[in-house]
PDB file of all heavy atoms in Angstrom:
ATOM      1  N   ALA T 201     156.751  -0.885 -52.918  1.00 52.00           N
ATOM      2  CA  ALA T 201     155.340  -1.209 -52.718  1.00 52.00           C
ATOM      3  C   ALA T 201     154.471   0.037 -52.788  1.00 52.00           C
ATOM      4  O   ALA T 201     154.853   1.099 -52.311  1.00 52.00           O
ATOM      5  CB  ALA T 201     155.137  -1.887 -51.369  1.00 52.00           C
ATOM      6  N   CYS T 202     153.299  -0.102 -53.417  1.00 59.00           N
ATOM      7  CA  CYS T 202     152.254   0.917 -53.437  1.00 59.00           C
ATOM      8  C   CYS T 202     150.917   0.191 -53.331  1.00 59.00           C
ATOM      9  O   CYS T 202     150.755  -0.883 -53.896  1.00 59.00           O
ATOM     10  CB  CYS T 202     152.277   1.738 -54.724  1.00 59.00           C
ATOM     11  SG  CYS T 202     153.824   2.568 -55.065  1.00 59.00           S
ATOM     12  N   GLN T 203     149.991   0.757 -52.631  1.00 66.00           N
ATOM     13  CA  GLN T 203     148.742   0.063 -52.347  1.00 66.00           C
ATOM     14  C   GLN T 203     147.860  -0.070 -53.586  1.00 66.00           C
ATOM     15  O   GLN T 203     147.714   0.879 -54.350  1.00 66.00           O
ATOM     16  CB  GLN T 203     147.966   0.822 -51.267  1.00 66.00           C
ATOM     17  CG  GLN T 203     146.749   0.102 -50.742  1.00 66.00           C
ATOM     18  CD  GLN T 203     147.110  -1.153 -49.966  1.00 66.00           C
ATOM     19  OE1 GLN T 203     148.072  -1.161 -49.214  1.00 66.00           O
ATOM     20  NE2 GLN T 203     146.346  -2.201 -50.166  1.00 66.00           N
ATOM     21  N   ILE T 204     147.274  -1.258 -53.795  1.00 77.00           N
ATOM     22  CA  ILE T 204     146.229  -1.402 -54.808  1.00 77.00           C
ATOM     23  C   ILE T 204     144.990  -0.702 -54.279  1.00 77.00           C
ATOM     24  O   ILE T 204     144.457  -1.074 -53.240  1.00 77.00           O
ATOM     25  CB  ILE T 204     145.905  -2.883 -55.087  1.00 77.00           C
ATOM     26  CG1 ILE T 204     147.018  -3.532 -55.896  1.00 77.00           C
ATOM     27  CG2 ILE T 204     144.591  -3.007 -55.860  1.00 77.00           C
ATOM     28  CD1 ILE T 204     146.741  -4.970 -56.260  1.00 77.00           C
ATOM     29  N   GLY T 205     144.528   0.317 -54.996  1.00 77.00           N
ATOM     30  CA  GLY T 205     143.371   1.063 -54.532  1.00 77.00           C
ATOM     31  C   GLY T 205     142.074   0.624 -55.171  1.00 77.00           C
ATOM     32  O   GLY T 205     140.997   0.856 -54.624  1.00 77.00           O
ATOM     33  N   THR T 206     142.163  -0.026 -56.337  1.00 90.00           N
ATOM     34  CA  THR T 206     140.954  -0.401 -57.061  1.00 90.00           C
ATOM     35  C   THR T 206     141.301  -1.422 -58.127  1.00 90.00           C
ATOM     36  O   THR T 206     142.474  -1.628 -58.449  1.00 90.00           O
ATOM     37  CB  THR T 206     140.312   0.837 -57.722  1.00 90.00           C
ATOM     38  OG1 THR T 206     139.080   0.469 -58.340  1.00 90.00           O
ATOM     39  CG2 THR T 206     141.240   1.452 -58.758  1.00 90.00           C
ATOM     40  N   ASP T 207     140.278  -2.072 -58.659  1.00 93.00           N
ATOM     41  CA  ASP T 207     140.521  -2.942 -59.798  1.00 93.00           C
ATOM     42  C   ASP T 207     140.597  -2.086 -61.062  1.00 93.00           C
ATOM     43  O   ASP T 207     140.366  -0.883 -61.039  1.00 93.00           O
ATOM     44  CB  ASP T 207     139.446  -4.021 -59.909  1.00 93.00           C
ATOM     45  CG  ASP T 207     138.039  -3.443 -59.960  1.00 93.00           C
ATOM     46  OD1 ASP T 207     137.897  -2.203 -60.001  1.00 93.00           O
ATOM     47  OD2 ASP T 207     137.082  -4.232 -59.962  1.00 93.00           O
ATOM     48  N   GLY T 208     140.938  -2.705 -62.162  1.00 95.00           N
ATOM     49  CA  GLY T 208     141.087  -1.969 -63.410  1.00 95.00           C
ATOM     50  C   GLY T 208     142.346  -2.394 -64.142  1.00 95.00           C
ATOM     51  O   GLY T 208     142.906  -3.462 -63.885  1.00 95.00           O
ATOM     52  N   TRP T 209     142.813  -1.545 -65.058  1.00 95.00           N
ATOM     53  CA  TRP T 209     143.969  -1.849 -65.893  1.00 95.00           C
ATOM     54  C   TRP T 209     145.223  -1.187 -65.342  1.00 95.00           C
ATOM     55  O   TRP T 209     145.193  -0.036 -64.906  1.00 95.00           O
ATOM     56  CB  TRP T 209     143.725  -1.388 -67.328  1.00 95.00           C
ATOM     57  CG  TRP T 209     142.807  -2.311 -68.072  1.00 95.00           C
ATOM     58  CD1 TRP T 209     141.441  -2.295 -68.061  1.00 95.00           C
ATOM     59  CD2 TRP T 209     143.190  -3.399 -68.913  1.00 95.00           C
ATOM     60  NE1 TRP T 209     140.949  -3.309 -68.845  1.00 95.00           N
ATOM     61  CE2 TRP T 209     141.993  -3.996 -69.385  1.00 95.00           C
ATOM     62  CE3 TRP T 209     144.417  -3.920 -69.322  1.00 95.00           C
ATOM     63  CZ2 TRP T 209     141.998  -5.098 -70.245  1.00 95.00           C
ATOM     64  CZ3 TRP T 209     144.425  -5.012 -70.182  1.00 95.00           C
ATOM     65  CH2 TRP T 209     143.232  -5.588 -70.632  1.00 95.00           C
ATOM     66  N   TYR T 210     146.329  -1.941 -65.388  1.00 95.00           N
ATOM     67  CA  TYR T 210     147.623  -1.467 -64.913  1.00 95.00           C
ATOM     68  C   TYR T 210     148.680  -1.720 -65.989  1.00 95.00           C
ATOM     69  O   TYR T 210     148.530  -2.602 -66.839  1.00 95.00           O
ATOM     70  CB  TYR T 210     148.033  -2.198 -63.632  1.00 95.00           C
ATOM     71  CG  TYR T 210     147.214  -1.820 -62.419  1.00 95.00           C
ATOM     72  CD1 TYR T 210     145.974  -2.401 -62.187  1.00 95.00           C
ATOM     73  CD2 TYR T 210     147.679  -0.877 -61.504  1.00 95.00           C
ATOM     74  CE1 TYR T 210     145.212  -2.053 -61.082  1.00 95.00           C
ATOM     75  CE2 TYR T 210     146.929  -0.524 -60.397  1.00 95.00           C
ATOM     76  CZ  TYR T 210     145.697  -1.115 -60.183  1.00 95.00           C
ATOM     77  OH  TYR T 210     144.951  -0.764 -59.091  1.00 95.00           O
ATOM     78  N   ARG T 211     149.751  -0.945 -65.915  1.00 95.00           N
ATOM     79  CA  ARG T 211     150.925  -1.202 -66.756  1.00 95.00           C
ATOM     80  C   ARG T 211     152.134  -1.453 -65.871  1.00 95.00           C
ATOM     81  O   ARG T 211     152.393  -0.705 -64.924  1.00 95.00           O
ATOM     82  CB  ARG T 211     151.217  -0.026 -67.688  1.00 95.00           C
ATOM     83  CG  ARG T 211     152.561  -0.158 -68.431  1.00 95.00           C
ATOM     84  CD  ARG T 211     152.676   0.769 -69.629  1.00 95.00           C
ATOM     85  NE  ARG T 211     151.750   0.339 -70.681  1.00 95.00           N
ATOM     86  CZ  ARG T 211     151.714   0.896 -71.900  1.00 95.00           C
ATOM     87  NH1 ARG T 211     152.540   1.891 -72.208  1.00 95.00           N
ATOM     88  NH2 ARG T 211     150.854   0.454 -72.799  1.00 95.00           N
ATOM     89  N   VAL T 212     152.873  -2.525 -66.188  1.00 94.00           N
ATOM     90  CA  VAL T 212     154.162  -2.809 -65.571  1.00 94.00           C
ATOM     91  C   VAL T 212     155.221  -2.600 -66.648  1.00 94.00           C
ATOM     92  O   VAL T 212     155.104  -3.142 -67.749  1.00 94.00           O
ATOM     93  CB  VAL T 212     154.218  -4.251 -65.031  1.00 94.00           C
ATOM     94  CG1 VAL T 212     155.608  -4.561 -64.479  1.00 94.00           C
ATOM     95  CG2 VAL T 212     153.162  -4.462 -63.956  1.00 94.00           C
ATOM     96  N   GLY T 213     156.240  -1.805 -66.361  1.00 93.00           N
ATOM     97  CA  GLY T 213     157.256  -1.501 -67.359  1.00 93.00           C
ATOM     98  C   GLY T 213     158.659  -1.726 -66.839  1.00 93.00           C
ATOM     99  O   GLY T 213     158.914  -1.635 -65.634  1.00 93.00           O
ATOM    100  N   ALA T 214     159.581  -2.025 -67.753  1.00 94.00           N
ATOM    101  CA  ALA T 214     160.994  -2.196 -67.421  1.00 94.00           C
ATOM    102  C   ALA T 214     161.828  -1.425 -68.433  1.00 94.00           C
ATOM    103  O   ALA T 214     161.702  -1.635 -69.646  1.00 94.00           O
ATOM    104  CB  ALA T 214     161.377  -3.674 -67.435  1.00 94.00           C
ATOM    105  N   GLU T 215     162.668  -0.515 -67.942  1.00 96.00           N
ATOM    106  CA  GLU T 215     163.588   0.231 -68.803  1.00 96.00           C
ATOM    107  C   GLU T 215     164.860  -0.586 -68.964  1.00 96.00           C
ATOM    108  O   GLU T 215     165.457  -1.014 -67.975  1.00 96.00           O
ATOM    109  CB  GLU T 215     163.901   1.588 -68.189  1.00 96.00           C
ATOM    110  CG  GLU T 215     164.707   2.489 -69.101  1.00 96.00           C
ATOM    111  CD  GLU T 215     164.970   3.844 -68.480  1.00 96.00           C
ATOM    112  OE1 GLU T 215     164.899   3.953 -67.238  1.00 96.00           O
ATOM    113  OE2 GLU T 215     165.255   4.784 -69.233  1.00 96.00           O
ATOM    114  N   LEU T 216     165.279  -0.792 -70.209  1.00 96.00           N
ATOM    115  CA  LEU T 216     166.344  -1.748 -70.507  1.00 96.00           C
ATOM    116  C   LEU T 216     167.602  -1.047 -71.001  1.00 96.00           C
ATOM    117  O   LEU T 216     167.547  -0.136 -71.817  1.00 96.00           O
ATOM    118  CB  LEU T 216     165.860  -2.745 -71.565  1.00 96.00           C
ATOM    119  CG  LEU T 216     164.543  -3.464 -71.243  1.00 96.00           C
ATOM    120  CD1 LEU T 216     164.166  -4.393 -72.387  1.00 96.00           C
ATOM    121  CD2 LEU T 216     164.639  -4.228 -69.930  1.00 96.00           C
ATOM    122  N   ARG T 217     168.751  -1.522 -70.510  1.00 94.00           N
ATOM    123  CA  ARG T 217     170.054  -1.014 -70.932  1.00 94.00           C
ATOM    124  C   ARG T 217     170.949  -2.184 -71.314  1.00 94.00           C
ATOM    125  O   ARG T 217     171.013  -3.192 -70.608  1.00 94.00           O
ATOM    126  CB  ARG T 217     170.733  -0.244 -69.800  1.00 94.00           C
ATOM    127  CG  ARG T 217     170.048   1.045 -69.405  1.00 94.00           C
ATOM    128  CD  ARG T 217     170.354   2.166 -70.378  1.00 94.00           C
ATOM    129  NE  ARG T 217     169.896   3.448 -69.862  1.00 94.00           N
ATOM    130  CZ  ARG T 217     168.665   3.909 -69.978  1.00 94.00           C
ATOM    131  NH1 ARG T 217     167.755   3.165 -70.584  1.00 94.00           N
ATOM    132  NH2 ARG T 217     168.326   5.080 -69.487  1.00 94.00           N
TER     133      ARG T 217
END
Side-chain angles (χ1 to χ4, degrees):
C202 303
Q203 188 67 40
I204 286 183
T206 184
D207 55 5
W209 284 84
Y210 289 82
R211 171 163 291 186
V212 176
E215 187 178 21
L216 307 179
R217 293 282 190 276

